[in-house]
Amino acid sequence: MQVTGTVLTTRRVDAYHALTVVAPGIAEGFRPGHFVSVAVGGAHTSMVTRRAFSIHDVKSDYGGTVELVFTTGGRGTAWLAERRARDTLDLVGPLGRPFPLPRDPVHCVLVGSEYGSAVLFPLADALLARACRVDFVLGGAGAERVFGAMRARRIAQTTTLTTEDGSLGLRGKVTDALPSVIADTRADVVYACAPMETLRAVTAVAMEFDIPVQVAVEEQMACGIGVCMTCVIPVIGDDGATRMVRACAEGPVFRGERVRFEDVGTIPFDALGAPGGGARHVS
């Protein structure tokens, strides 16, 4: 649904901005992994495309609020970072395919890098409500770019932190620590949200341990509703055929082993509809 939401609070969280918006309809329909698309720039802007943001938190306050976490990387997010309480925003949501939840209690490792970690916290709450064990692996370039470390420590069995510069936790990337966490926790499933290269590496680790992995991809989404086709990625279907699917509509959550990460940004020659398109089977 499209709603006009009122900004309730704005705050800085280390290197990131957190924006809480009153949006009851979106909050009511939210499931972990959903996102919203936000119009930026105001009524007379030349920035015609929306910006997609994962939902970090949902509360029942004021009829229903959603919190977005983001970093400023361009004019659109810079404009959003300047919003203040009582400003209004045009939002569409909840959008996308959320994380699938296990039917029975299992051991879950949640892997996040930088602000991609934000989407994992409502997922953790949902898993804990199903009596699952939750362990976090969170990372970033430096300490100020690791999101949610304190909250993760409060709710998870264990929290492993990594930074590339060694300023917090272990020196390295989340994938350097992931194998030992999977082994130590006897994990049954991995959930992850991070840049594509990190998701590719997380998926490879999970496949080595022969456990399923669910990834929320971070792709540029101009419309967020499946019309513009700017966020297509190659994904292997149940029939073994590769299709170019929309991350905003068929995703953003996919089975990691089905995403052809090495071909993201291209149309593989064997994708259905491509010249010479055929099928590529899951090994």
Side-chain angles (χ1 to χ4, degrees):
M1 65 178 63
Q2 184 173 7
V3 303
T4 298
T6 301
V7 176
L8 184 64
T9 62
T10 65
R11 60 192 177 99
R12 288 298 300 268
V13 184
D14 296 324
Y16 306 112
H17 298 269
L19 195 67
T20 300
V21 184
V22 179
I26 294 176
E28 182 180 357
F30 169 76
R31 299 294 180 271
H34 277 151
F35 68 94
V36 296
S37 68
V38 182
V40 297
H44 306 290
T45 183
S46 62
M47 293 185 284
V48 296
T49 59
R50 292 173 172 267
R51 303 299 190 269
F53 300 97
S54 297
I55 297 173
H56 167 240
D57 204 3
V58 170
K59 288 186 170 62
S60 59
D61 303 352
Y62 302 94
T65 63
V66 297
E67 185 176 71
L68 316 177
V69 174
F70 60 96
T71 185
T72 52
R75 288 195 304 146
T77 48
W79 178 88
L80 194 62
E82 293 172 353
R83 299 309 93 198
R84 295 296 177 263
R86 294 187 293 279
D87 287 346
T88 59
L89 293 174
D90 182 321
L91 302 92
V92 176
L95 297 171
R97 174 179 174 267
F99 286 106
L101 300 177
R103 287 173 294 183
D104 302 312
V106 295
H107 292 193
C108 308
V109 174
L110 278 53
V111 185
S113 179
E114 309 235 333
Y115 65 89
S117 303
V119 73
L120 299 176
F121 288 93
L123 171 63
D125 291 338
L127 292 170
L128 290 169
R130 296 189 176 211
C132 294
R133 171 177 170 141
V134 170
D135 297 89
F136 274 101
V137 183
L138 305 177
E144 76 286 352
R145 302 198 71 83
V146 178
F147 181 83
M150 291 182 63
R151 183 176 175 185
R153 284 170 168 158
R154 288 197 302 268
I155 66 176
Q157 287 285 326
T158 66
T159 298
T160 303
L161 306 177
T162 70
T163 49
E164 294 177 30
D165 64 4
S167 57
L168 179 67
L170 304 174
R171 180 183 293 273
K173 299 181 179 181
V174 288
T175 47
D176 296 326
L178 182 57
S180 62
V181 173
I182 290 176
D184 292 345
T185 63
R186 299 182 180 180
D188 298 301
V189 60
V190 172
Y191 294 92
C193 183
M196 285 299 217
E197 279 303 309
T198 301
L199 293 181
R200 179 180 182 178
V202 168
T203 297
V205 173
M207 291 178 68
E208 288 179 6
F209 281 86
D210 195 27
I211 59 175
V213 53
Q214 297 285 341
V215 300
V217 301
E218 294 184 0
E219 277 292 286
Q220 294 291 332
M221 300 176 186
C223 74
I225 57 174
V227 175
C228 69
M229 305 296 286
T230 60
C231 63
V232 294
I233 61 174
V235 176
I236 303 167
D238 292 338
D239 59 358
T242 294
R243 294 173 175 83
M244 301 302 295
V245 304
R246 300 162 298 178
C248 67
E250 285 76 36
V253 177
F254 296 96
R255 290 171 56 180
E257 72 275 12
R258 295 293 182 89
V259 180
R260 290 175 59 170
F261 289 106
E262 69 277 10
D263 295 318
V264 169
T266 71
I267 300 176
F269 76 93
D270 58 345
L272 291 181
R280 174 167 174 164
H281 293 277
V282 182
S283 58

